[in-house]
Amino acid sequence: MMKNQTTISSVLLISLSDNQKISYVLFIIFLLIYLMTFLTNFLIILLVLTCAHLHTPMYFFLGNLAFLDMSYSSVTAPRMLRHLATQHWSISFPECIAQMFFVIYFGCCEVYLLSSMSYDRYVAICRPLHYSPICRPLHYSRVMSWGTCTQMVSLVWSYGLLAPIIYTLCLRRLTFCGPNFIQNFFCDLPHLLQISCSDTSINVLVLIVGGGLLSVAAFVATFYPYVRIFSTVFKIRTSDGKRKAFSTCTSHLTVVFIFYASVTFIYFVPNTSNLLTLNQVVTVIYALITPLLNPLIYSLRNKDLKVALRRTLHIDGTRRCT
């Protein structure tokens, strides 16, 4: 493998605003969003850990999703807030590579985790009773046991490392000699490839093949269970039964659509000058707003989380979260 011959020491990120007053306003807005993101996701993790009635597979996955949202937001938001406050939109090249690594890592983990959550909903609704090889019925709680859930989450966090490691190693064969300006407010792989003065055809091929396979596999693994779920729910005769079945899926399905819509626009829509502003807006939504929306979507539509929060705050008079 060719040794990296990088000559640039820093990367200049795109400025969200050249007006200092507007930058300060954006700083306050994004700081509040980041603090709310951190606090709401931390609260969900705390409730899942401390409330006994939330010790189920669905909330175990939700706690991991909250931790992922906290982590992803912390990779991009603090650096962006610093840039807005100082009006210096530069980042050292090693820090840029590190940021790119964790952006890809947490993004891949979220893709895998959303797929795992889809499977959990499929088992709960379509296969409440599984049958073992000796034809003994196995309840949902045994199929989705703590051992199974722990293994699934371990695979999520482990397999998430595969793509960023491969992409980072492939960058070592490239030379970066300028220009050092990228059209984004954080470092991401496609933008880094654009500022390389080497032949990036192999890297682009790896990105397209690897990203394409990952996207297709994750898309099928996430949405195919919902095809089966909808087929099962439509067979339920009572409207109340259908409503209860759908209520367990709507929050997750909403999060999935927001995530995939943002990713599709950012990575698959051509980044032309006409769409530059819109791309920046969608990128901000993906990096900052979505990690905040996820806990709000789950908490506002989830009765168990509302009850757990009231009990934790002692609003309903109970002293224990059980």
Side-chain angles (χ1 to χ4, degrees):
M1 179 178 295
M2 183 185 298
K3 184 178 180 181
N4 181 275
Q5 300 176 4
T6 299
T7 58
I8 61 174
S9 59
S10 64
V11 175
L12 186 62
L13 304 173
I14 191 171
S15 173
L16 294 180
S17 175
D18 296 326
N19 187 300
Q20 192 172 20
K21 292 182 179 179
I22 295 179
S23 295
Y24 288 154
V25 172
L26 291 176
F27 174 84
I28 295 174
I29 293 174
F30 292 149
L31 176 62
L32 292 176
I33 291 175
Y34 176 63
L35 292 177
M36 288 179 63
T37 299
F38 196 91
L39 291 175
T40 52
N41 281 290
F42 179 79
L43 181 60
I44 286 182
I45 295 173
L46 183 64
L47 292 177
V48 171
L49 289 175
T50 58
C51 296
H53 73 283
L54 298 183
H55 292 173
T56 63
M58 182 176 74
Y59 294 106
F60 177 67
F61 291 125
L62 179 58
N64 277 269
L65 179 63
F67 183 76
L68 264 175
D69 287 332
M70 287 173 55
S71 302
Y72 188 92
S73 182
S74 297
V75 170
T76 58
R79 169 67 66 172
M80 185 197 65
L81 292 172
R82 176 183 172 184
H83 294 324
L84 285 170
T86 62
Q87 284 296 293
H88 295 297
W89 289 84
S90 62
I91 180 175
S92 70
F93 192 78
E95 289 177 323
C96 186
I97 296 296
Q99 188 180 56
M100 178 214 71
F101 181 93
F102 286 107
V103 164
I104 297 175
Y105 175 54
F106 292 130
C108 289
C109 286
E110 184 150 352
V111 167
Y112 298 142
L113 186 61
L114 291 175
S115 300
S116 301
M117 296 173 76
S118 292
Y119 177 74
D120 171 65
R121 293 299 83 206
Y122 163 75
V123 175
I125 295 176
C126 300
R127 294 290 185 269
L129 285 179
H130 277 247
Y131 287 87
S132 65
I134 56 176
C135 296
R136 293 180 179 177
L138 297 177
H139 194 265
Y140 162 78
S141 60
R142 293 190 62 185
V143 177
M144 296 298 295
S145 64
W146 283 114
T148 301
C149 293
T150 302
Q151 290 177 2
M152 292 174 68
V153 169
S154 298
L155 290 175
V156 166
W157 289 99
S158 300
Y159 284 171
L161 286 169
L162 185 61
I165 287 177
I166 292 176
Y167 294 151
T168 304
L169 290 176
C170 287
L171 286 178
R172 291 179 57 84
R173 61 179 296 275
L174 302 180
T175 300
F176 296 87
C177 53
N180 64 338
F181 176 75
I182 64 176
Q183 299 278 355
N184 204 352
F185 68 91
F186 64 87
C187 295
D188 204 359
L189 181 59
H191 300 94
L192 281 173
L193 294 180
Q194 291 176 1
I195 66 172
S196 173
C197 49
S198 302
D199 181 11
T200 60
S201 57
I202 295 179
N203 297 75
V204 172
L205 179 62
V206 171
L207 177 61
I208 293 175
V209 174
L213 291 176
L214 169 64
S215 301
V216 172
F219 185 87
V220 172
T222 302
F223 285 99
Y224 177 71
Y226 276 103
V227 175
R228 304 293 301 274
I229 288 172
F230 291 150
S231 176
T232 300
V233 171
F234 287 139
K235 294 178 182 178
I236 300 176
R237 295 181 179 181
T238 63
S239 58
D240 186 58
K242 292 181 179 179
R243 182 185 59 80
K244 289 181 179 180
F246 275 125
S247 66
T248 66
C249 301
T250 50
S251 296
H252 175 251
L253 200 55
T254 302
V255 169
V256 168
F257 274 119
I258 293 175
F259 177 81
Y260 274 96
S262 301
V263 170
T264 299
F265 188 90
I266 293 172
Y267 293 103
F268 295 98
V269 174
N271 190 14
T272 62
S273 57
N274 296 330
L275 297 175
L276 180 59
T277 301
L278 182 58
N279 187 272
Q280 292 179 22
V281 172
V282 175
T283 303
V284 170
I285 293 174
Y286 172 68
L288 297 179
I289 308 300
T290 300
L292 174 61
L293 287 178
N294 290 350
L296 293 180
I297 291 171
Y298 274 101
S299 59
L300 291 176
R301 298 184 61 87
N302 193 292
K303 181 180 178 181
D304 290 335
L305 281 177
K306 293 179 183 178
V307 171
L309 180 60
R310 287 197 297 267
R311 290 179 178 177
T312 300
L313 300 177
H314 310 314
I315 294 176
D316 61 353
T318 56
R319 303 297 298 177
R320 297 181 61 189
C321 187
T322 56

